[in-house]
Amino acid sequence: MSIDLKNLTIKKAHEALLKGEYSAVDLASAYLEQIKKTDKDIHAYLEVFADVIEQAKVADEKIKNGKAGLLTGIPIAVKDNILIKGKIASAASKILENYTATYDATVIEKLKNEGVVFIGRTNMDEFAMGGSTENSAYGTTKNPYDLERVPGGSSGGSAAAVASNESLVSLGSDTGGSIRQPASFCGLVGLKPTYGAVSRYGVMAMGSSLDQIGPFGKTVLDAEILFNAIKGQDKMDSTTLPNKKSEENLSGKKFKIGVPKDFLNIGGIDESIVKNFQESLEKLKALGHEIIDIELPNLKYSLAVYYVIVPAEVSSNMARYDGMRYGKRVTGATGIEDYFLSRQAGLGREVKRRIILGTYVLSSGYYDAYYNKANIVREIIKDDYKKAFKNVDIIATPTAPSVAFKIGEKVDDPLQMYLEDIFTVPINLAGVPAISIPSGMKNINGKDLPIGIQFIADYNREDKLFAVSKSFLEEK
Amino acid sequence: MLEIKDIEKLAKLARIELTSEEKEKLLKEVDPILGYVTQLKEVVSVVGEEKKAGELRNVAREDANPTETGTNTKDIIADMPDSQDNYLKVEKIL
C-alpha cells in the first residue's frame, strides 16, 4: 500500500479513511516507514511511541462505527514540552530525562477525544529556549532541505517532522517565534494563536506571559483545522479567553495590509529576504489586497523588552526543577547541596544563562531598572499595534531575517542568536496572533531553502490570518 | 560591569553550582546582553514613567473540587527520585 505522504492533507486523509481506501493502521504504518527511512538523518523525534499502531486500531474502530471526526486517525507529532499521560516528557532536558507525565495536557485531551494518532515526541531547544534546536540535550535536529542547516527552533523537531513527511501535522509552542521561525525555515504553515486562545495546562512554562501552543501543517487549512480542535477556554488555565466566533464572511475579501517600512530598515536583514518580501507584497496587490504604509515606531525596542521579561519569567519557572519531587537528582552532602548539584548536572547552558540573567533583573535594586522598565515599554509596543489595527486588517513582515543558518554558526553568540527573533518577538509581547507561510526559496549551493512571510492580525482574528494566507497561497 | 563575584552571588541565589569555566563564560555572555537592554532606560525617560505597566495580572481560580485523594499517587511516586512508604525521601535538613 503506497500513500502519497508528500501531498497528503487532513481532508484528503479523512476522505480516504472514510471511503476505506486505506485504514488508519495503513496510514500510521506509512509514517513509521518514512521515519525509519529518514529520521536517522533528520533526528526530528526524541521518541517514536511504541503504541502507534494500537492507537490507529482504536481510530479504525471509531471510523468503522461511523463515529469518526475530521481528525480521527490523523497522525500528529507533539513537542516534548507537552504532557501526554504515561509518556516521557523531557523538554529535551537532562533534568527531566526520565520524567513520565502523570496527566494529559488540555490540548492532548482534546485531540485524544478526536481520535488522533500520536506518533511521537519531537526534539526542541531545552525548555523551548533557543531558535535552532541546538540547545537540545539530545542532539540537533537537521533541516530536511539541507542537513547542514538548522530547522529553526525552538519547535524545530515538530517542523522537521512535518517537512520530511514523518508526520502529517504537529504541535509546537511559541514564546518569541518558536513556531513561526521553524515554519519559515522548513517551508511550512505555522500559527502562534492569540495569547489565551489555547490552554497551556500541561505544557511546561517558559515565559508565562508569552507562551502559546500552536499547529504546524503543510497547508493553511491543516493548521486551521488543528487550531480549531485545540482552542477554547479552560478552567485549568485562567489566562484562556472565551471563544468568540466571528460572524464576518471573509471568503474573497480584499484586505487592508499594513507594512511597517521603518521597522524593515533596521539592518541585518538578508537581501534575499527583503527582495522576496517586496515580491510578496506585489503578489498581494495583484490579488486585489491593498498595501498601506504604517508606523510601529516602538517595535525596535522589542528585543530589549523580551530579553528582560523572558529571563525574569524563566528564572521563576525553572525554580521547580530542583531534583526533589521528580527528575534528575544528584545527591550531595546536605539537602541544600542536592539542589545545586542537580541543577548543575541537569540544566543546559542557555537555561543557566537565562536563569542567571533573570535572577539579576529581578533582584532587589535592579528590579525597577530592568523589569519595570521592560513592562512599561511592553505597553507602548501594544499601543503601537492597537493604533495600527484601527486602520488595517493585517500587518505583514518577513518571518525571519534570514533563511535557515548553518549548524554551529550562531551557537557561541547569544545576542546574535536573539536577533533572529526580531520580527516574531513583538507579536508575543502584544499577545496578538500571527502566522508564517511559505513565500519563496533562496538557492544556496544548489539547495533550495524556504523563506516565510508573516501575517499579524488583531486579537482573536485568526480567521483573517487564515483567509489572507489562503488567498496568498491560492489555496482553496 | 559585572564581576565574577556577582555571577557567584546570582548562582547562589538561583541554586546552581557553576564551574569556574562556566562562570567566566557567563560573565562574558551576560554583560553584553545587559548592555543591550539598557536602552529601555532611555525609552522610558522619553515616554515618562506615568505610562503604567500592567493590563497583565494574575488570575487565580477557586481552589475547589480537588481530585480524590490517591487518584494519582502511584504515578507521582513513580516519578520521585527517592521514596519510602508513599513519602518523598530527601536528605536530612536539620
Side-chain angles (χ1 to χ4, degrees):
Chain A
M1 159 113 263
S2 163
I3 304 171
D4 176 14
L5 300 183
K6 192 165 179 273
N7 296 305
L8 197 62
T9 63
I10 292 177
K11 228 173 143 189
K12 278 188 208 167
H14 175 67
E15 279 161 12
L17 288 169
L18 286 194
K19 280 190 216 149
E21 284 172 25
Y22 47 79
S23 67
V25 169
D26 294 332
L27 185 60
S29 307
Y31 280 101
L32 292 178
E33 197 54 42
Q34 180 69 19
I35 290 168
K36 217 187 267 170
K37 254 191 257 165
T38 52
D39 207 50
K40 58 181 187 301
D41 295 326
I42 308 263
H43 190 41
Y45 287 96
L46 291 175
E47 179 187 356
V48 176
F49 296 137
D51 62 351
V52 170
I53 296 299
E54 258 170 76
Q55 294 180 56
K57 279 181 187 162
V58 175
D60 276 331
E61 204 53 36
K62 228 175 159 176
I63 294 163
K64 213 174 78 191
N65 296 334
K67 286 182 185 154
L70 203 44
L71 284 170
T72 308
I74 299 298
I76 293 185
V78 178
K79 190 175 180 178
D80 195 32
N81 59 350
I82 303 174
L83 306 193
I84 306 176
K85 189 177 167 136
K87 309 275 192 220
I88 287 178
S90 79
S93 178
K94 283 283 174 211
I95 207 158
L96 293 180
E97 193 170 10
N98 296 313
Y99 171 71
T100 303
T102 55
Y103 63 99
D104 281 325
T106 297
V107 292
I108 296 299
E109 196 188 323
K110 282 174 185 267
L111 292 175
K112 274 187 178 171
N113 291 338
E114 298 277 337
V116 307
V117 174
F118 296 108
I119 298 285
R121 52 191 180 93
T122 56
N123 200 13
M124 56 187 281
D125 288 294
E126 183 179 2
F127 287 111
M129 298 180 209
S132 65
T133 76
E134 288 165 291
N135 294 335
S136 167
Y138 306 101
T140 305
T141 299
K142 316 291 189 323
N143 191 310
Y145 285 85
D146 179 350
L147 297 178
E148 287 175 11
R149 291 176 188 270
V150 302
S154 63
S155 314
S158 289
V162 176
S164 57
N165 302 310
E166 294 178 5
S167 183
L168 180 48
V169 287
S170 63
L171 288 181
S173 67
D174 187 317
T175 305
S178 282
I179 291 173
R180 290 158 287 156
Q181 182 249 28
S184 171
F185 283 8
C186 292
L188 299 174
V189 176
L191 172 76
K192 197 292 284 184
T194 305
Y195 185 77
V198 179
S199 167
R200 286 103 37 95
Y201 178 66
V203 179
M204 296 176 201
M206 199 263 268
S208 306
S209 72
L210 306 145
D211 299 339
Q212 268 294 291
I213 302 173
F216 286 97
K218 292 195 297 267
T219 65
V220 180
L221 186 59
D222 280 0
E224 184 178 1
I225 292 169
L226 196 48
F227 169 65
N228 284 331
I230 60 173
K231 70 178 181 184
Q233 195 164 26
D234 178 14
K235 68 176 192 318
M236 303 307 278
D237 177 357
S238 56
T239 63
T240 49
L241 303 161
N243 267 337
K244 266 187 257 163
K245 209 169 160 26
S246 161
E247 300 296 322
E248 200 178 338
N249 180 10
L250 297 176
S251 82
K253 184 178 157 81
K254 304 301 175 203
F255 291 103
K256 283 185 181 174
I257 301 173
V259 177
K261 282 272 163 62
D262 50 340
F263 187 51
L264 295 170
N265 295 329
I266 44 168
I269 305 167
D270 193 277
E271 262 175 54
S272 65
I273 301 289
V274 177
K275 185 166 166 274
N276 174 269
F277 185 66
Q278 297 304 346
E279 287 165 4
S280 300
L281 295 181
E282 289 307 317
K283 183 175 177 186
L284 287 163
K285 267 190 223 166
L287 288 164
H289 304 293
E290 189 185 346
I291 304 294
I292 301 165
D293 280 345
I294 59 164
E295 280 187 13
L296 297 166
N298 297 298
L299 254 64
K300 54 179 177 286
Y301 305 119
S302 300
L303 278 177
V305 173
Y306 186 79
Y307 279 101
V308 171
I309 289 178
V310 164
E313 295 186 6
V314 161
S315 72
S316 312
N317 279 326
M318 292 298 128
R320 75 192 64 176
Y321 304 112
D322 56 9
M324 289 298 112
R325 291 153 298 149
Y326 50 80
K328 188 188 189 74
R329 184 191 293 180
V330 179
T331 311
T334 60
I336 190 95
E337 218 178 278
D338 288 5
Y339 291 158
F340 283 86
L341 297 178
S342 300
R343 283 160 75 76
Q344 176 183 39
L347 300 174
R349 216 171 123 192
E350 176 68 20
V351 177
K352 285 178 186 158
R353 187 187 297 141
R354 291 196 195 189
I355 291 173
I356 294 293
L357 259 174
T359 307
Y360 181 80
V361 301
L362 289 179
S363 58
S364 150
Y366 296 103
Y367 183 90
D368 192 57
Y370 292 101
Y371 189 66
N372 269 351
K373 297 257 183 317
N375 275 319
I376 291 168
V377 180
R378 183 178 188 173
E379 291 301 315
I380 300 168
I381 291 167
K382 264 190 208 170
D383 288 347
D384 273 5
Y385 281 109
K386 278 184 196 155
K387 264 181 235 156
F389 283 122
K390 281 186 187 147
N391 301 314
V392 299
D393 299 294
I394 298 286
I395 296 169
T397 71
T399 307
S402 69
V403 292
F405 46 90
K406 286 211 162 147
I407 292 166
E409 193 179 321
K410 298 187 182 193
V411 81
D412 282 319
D413 189 346
L415 202 51
Q416 202 52 45
M417 186 74 98
Y418 295 172
L419 291 174
E420 266 297 303
D421 302 334
I422 182 78
F423 293 120
T424 46
V425 150
I427 285 90
N428 298 71
L429 292 175
V432 291
I435 198 168
S436 177
I437 62 169
S439 60
M441 291 284 183
K442 178 189 186 181
N443 191 289
I444 302 178
N445 300 333
K447 287 193 169 132
D448 277 329
L449 301 169
I451 299 174
I453 185 171
Q454 174 176 246
F455 295 124
I456 308 153
D458 205 355
Y459 298 100
N460 294 313
R461 293 314 301 261
E462 282 85 354
D463 58 337
K464 284 188 182 175
L465 297 179
F466 297 134
V468 74
S469 298
K470 284 176 192 165
S471 163
F472 183 84
L473 294 173
E474 293 166 68
E475 190 181 313
K476 299 259 155 56
Chain B
M1 279 291 273
L2 292 183
E3 294 171 40
I4 283 287
K5 67 172 178 15
D6 299 315
I7 298 288
E8 283 170 349
K9 190 175 171 220
L10 292 168
K12 198 176 168 198
L13 287 169
R15 305 275 188 268
I16 301 177
E17 186 71 33
L18 295 173
T19 63
S20 45
E21 195 197 341
E22 278 180 311
K23 288 177 201 164
E24 290 287 347
K25 265 201 167 150
L26 274 169
L27 185 64
K28 261 188 238 145
E29 290 164 353
V30 168
D31 233 24
I33 298 170
L34 287 175
Y36 179 76
V37 301
T38 46
Q39 55 177 290
L40 294 175
K41 286 185 199 168
E42 292 146 41
V43 190
V44 174
S45 69
V46 174
V47 297
E49 297 266 1
E50 73 274 12
K51 178 79 201 174
K52 279 280 173 290
E55 268 177 58
L56 285 179
R57 62 191 190 286
N58 279 325
V59 182
R61 73 185 152 82
E62 222 27 61
D63 186 12
N65 307 319
T67 322
E68 203 181 317
T69 305
T71 316
N72 300 308
T73 309
K74 222 180 108 206
D75 293 340
I76 291 169
I77 288 174
D79 269 327
M80 290 177 181
D82 200 1
S83 67
Q84 187 182 323
D85 307 329
N86 272 7
Y87 285 100
L88 170 67
K89 200 171 166 187
V90 296
E91 291 287 319
K92 203 161 89 178
I93 290 166
L94 290 172

